[in-house]
Amino acid sequence: MEEIDRAIVGALTADGRLSYTVLAERVGLSVSAVHQRVRRLEQRGVINGYTAVVSYEALDLPLTAFVAIRPFDPSQPDDAPERLRHLAEIDSCYSVAGEDFYLLLVRVASPADLERLLQEIRTAANVTTRTTVVLSTPYENRPPRIADTD
Amino acid sequence: MEEIDRAIVGALTADGRLSYTVLAERVGLSVSAVHQRVRRLEQRGVINGYTAVVSYEALDLPLTAFVAIRPFDPSQPDDAPERLRHLAEIDSCYSVAGEDFYLLLVRVASPADLERLLQEIRTAANVTTRTTVVLSTPYENRPPRIADTD
DNA sequence: GGTGAAAATTCATTGAT
DNA sequence: ATCAATGAATTTTCACC
């Protein structure tokens, strides 16, 4: 990816609602050229969409935790991500190397809700869980440095 | 937060570039009423901003890992998040309960870059690290269910 | 790939209810 | 808090380089 595309991606990760006018000024191109480049970045899958960044506290989900899971019976087919997908409290699901099979990031309203969620995870995916509660989040989901990829 | 605000937040987490016109249709309000509500949600800090969702593979950051860190000397003042903030490869930093002090989510181009990053983390914050490599990401950063908070 | 300009749409304010 | 109306700004498409 070349310089202008990197500048565009950088600007849109910092502010996903930037207008094409401002974007064009910032990268030194015409509005339509920028527009076309953004379209292409979206088509190529470099940009996968846009989201509002929300405060989980404001949404009454103040409790974040990591849940490491392991199958109760390792000989069974492993389809935990699909079995857990319906649980809206699960923010992210990572398949990991190491002792655990998956690492989940979950967000709930209270310890009681965390307890309920863990029970649901265990029964839905037939797994054991090891949970690490997040006490605070110094920073999260920072925009990546856009590297020289040409 | 009441029903319409929840609908607005839900819609904007799903598509952060939705126009106020479409948003207004979707929640059954006039454009200006929706506009005002979004303003208020932003002011109240429910919505903290907007970002483009980028593909880390496309940005040449295909390797994701979790890095658990512990101070080498637990009697020293603990300011690891600040000491590590300048490392752009660190996506997120969580202060956690449990054996570790912090859990970092990092994104790098290669194992060699991960090795370099771990050395930087250790020297910058005077910590030991335990790293868990992510093999695949079934899902990540899913929009939260917008709860009934009234 | 890029430009510029026209047409359609949307934004953002205002004032009334 | 909501609405309708307005001018300003933006998005989107198109012909051409």
Side-chain angles (χ1 to χ4, degrees), chain B:
Chain B
M1 200 170 52
E2 49 84 77
E3 197 183 333
I4 296 179
D5 280 345
R6 282 187 274 132
I8 290 173
V9 173
L12 285 177
T13 53
D15 180 357
R17 296 204 79 159
L18 273 183
S19 74
Y20 295 119
T21 310
V22 174
L23 212 47
E25 284 169 12
R26 207 165 293 187
V27 304
L29 240 57
S30 73
V31 173
S32 37
V34 169
H35 193 255
Q36 197 176 170
R37 276 171 181 266
V38 172
R39 271 197 178 304
R40 227 170 274 151
L41 287 166
E42 289 168 352
Q43 284 175 346
R44 281 165 43 202
V46 178
I47 294 174
N48 278 311
Y50 303 88
T51 39
V53 180
V54 298
S55 155
Y56 293 99
E57 282 76 20
L59 293 180
D60 195 34
L61 295 170
L63 179 49
T64 298
F66 285 95
V67 180
I69 71 178
R70 268 177 241 205
F72 188 75
D73 175 359
S75 72
Q76 288 291 109
D78 173 13
D79 52 355
E82 291 69 39
R83 288 178 175 278
L84 298 174
R85 173 167 262 132
H86 69 285
L87 296 170
E89 295 90 344
I90 302 179
D91 176 287
S92 304
C93 171
Y94 301 93
S95 169
V96 293
E99 296 169 52
D100 300 303
F101 278 45
Y102 295 97
L103 198 54
L104 309 176
L105 175 57
V106 307
R107 314 218 188 240
V108 293
S110 65
D113 279 359
L114 181 55
E115 183 176 26
R116 262 192 294 278
L117 177 62
L118 291 173
Q119 289 167 354
E120 288 183 298
I121 288 172
R122 289 193 279 254
T123 60
N126 198 32
V127 293
T128 62
T129 63
R130 192 168 41 82
T131 300
T132 302
V133 170
V134 172
L135 303 172
S136 73
T137 303
Y139 35 92
E140 189 173 29
N141 291 138
R142 299 200 298 175
R145 184 174 53 78
I146 314 296
D148 236 310
T149 320
D150 300 319

Side-chain angles (χ1 to χ4, degrees), chain A residues 29-30 32-33 36-37 40:
Chain A
L29 241 56
S30 72
S32 35
Q36 199 178 172
R37 275 171 182 267
R40 264 198 287 271

